[in-house]
Amino acid sequence: MPKRDPGPSVKDPELYEKLRDEGDSKEKAARIANAAAGSSRTSVGRKGGKAGDYDDWTVDKLRKRAAEIGIEGRSSMRKSELIKALRSH
């Protein structure tokens, strides 16, 4: 299978390819590959962030976060749909 061209904005094409092969979306793979290239690889993707659980967020806050990362159709989503979209993006 020919390699995909992630474009010039991806800083770690090998990691990008690995993540795409594992089934991650283009956006998620690029985000992780760029974060790994800009910091210590051991800290990228480590659990235990400070954001809290999406279940505790209001629908308004969830929609604002979805807008920040560019999730389409967020204005018509219910809370559970927003949470699922945010977690899988």
Side-chain angles (χ1 to χ4, degrees):
M1 179 172 174
K3 286 201 165 204
R4 296 173 282 263
D5 181 19
S9 63
V10 174
K11 295 178 178 78
D12 189 339
E14 288 180 31
L15 180 57
Y16 174 85
E17 286 296 324
K18 180 180 176 231
L19 293 167
R20 290 290 289 141
D21 290 341
E22 291 174 359
D24 289 330
S25 69
K26 291 178 184 178
E27 295 85 5
K28 185 174 183 178
R31 190 170 58 246
I32 293 171
N34 289 342
S39 68
S40 169
R41 289 184 185 275
T42 59
S43 67
V44 175
R46 183 178 299 161
K47 290 190 176 192
K50 300 173 186 170
D53 190 14
Y54 284 139
D55 293 318
D56 298 333
W57 290 27
T58 65
V59 174
D60 188 46
K61 282 188 176 184
L62 291 168
R63 284 197 177 119
K64 286 179 184 175
R65 179 63 184 138
E68 288 173 7
I69 59 176
I71 294 176
E72 301 270 330
R74 63 190 171 270
S75 62
S76 62
M77 289 183 184
R78 294 187 313 261
K79 185 173 183 173
S80 61
E81 294 169 321
L82 285 164
I83 292 170
K84 183 177 180 182
L86 288 165
R87 286 181 177 155
S88 65
H89 189 271

